[in-house]
Amino acid sequence: MVAYSNRFLTIAGRIRKLYETYQSAPDTKLKEQITRLRLRLHLIKNMQALGVACLFSCVTCMLVLFGGYIIWAQWIFAFALVLLMISLGFSFREVQLSVEALNLALSDMENFKKD
């Protein structure tokens, strides 16, 4: 959850900075970056929501175990694992988008250097 929160804070700061830059000098590349960051922000929001739901399910599982309902606890824990897998899938996609953005920035620098 800490890693997810750090990603969110980093993206939020980057969006604010790009927005200020876009307000002072509108550019289509900046608009494209903001659009990509919006998608990443959406993925991070879903990652966090699923992560919280996973932790909530794990706590519920423990309470159910203390109540002696083993079969229910197994099902709840299985559900928590599914939530965690989906959250990690969103995380993986967000990392892919981040790498794509970095590769675009690097290619822009390489093209600038050649010109």
Side-chain angles (χ1 to χ4, degrees):
M1 289 306 299
V2 171
Y4 289 178
S5 295
N6 286 341
R7 284 183 180 174
F8 174 80
L9 293 173
T10 301
I11 295 294
R14 180 84 173 123
I15 289 172
R16 287 184 187 101
K17 185 178 177 184
L18 282 176
Y19 179 75
E20 289 173 10
T21 305
Y22 183 79
Q23 290 294 354
S24 62
D27 182 9
T28 55
K29 283 190 177 185
L30 289 177
K31 190 173 181 182
E32 290 173 18
Q33 286 181 9
I34 291 170
T35 301
R36 288 175 185 248
L37 288 172
R38 183 185 312 250
L39 174 59
R40 289 178 59 196
L41 194 61
H42 179 74
L43 288 171
I44 291 169
K45 177 190 72 164
N46 289 332
M47 288 166 26
Q48 287 179 322
L50 289 166
V52 167
C54 173
L55 290 173
F56 184 80
S57 296
C58 286
V59 171
T60 303
C61 173
M62 286 186 251
L63 291 173
V64 171
L65 276 173
F66 284 123
Y69 300 100
I70 305 299
I71 299 298
W72 277 102
Q74 289 174 337
W75 281 104
I76 293 168
F77 188 70
F79 178 68
L81 290 177
V82 170
L83 291 174
L84 180 61
M85 287 173 46
I86 296 169
S87 177
L88 291 172
F90 280 124
S91 176
F92 181 72
R93 180 63 185 137
E94 194 274 330
V95 168
Q96 285 179 321
L97 289 172
S98 178
V99 169
E100 288 173 13
L102 291 172
N103 282 332
L104 283 173
L106 288 173
S107 68
D108 280 352
M109 286 190 305
E110 288 171 345
N111 291 337
F112 180 74
K113 191 175 183 181
K114 289 178 184 177
D115 294 341

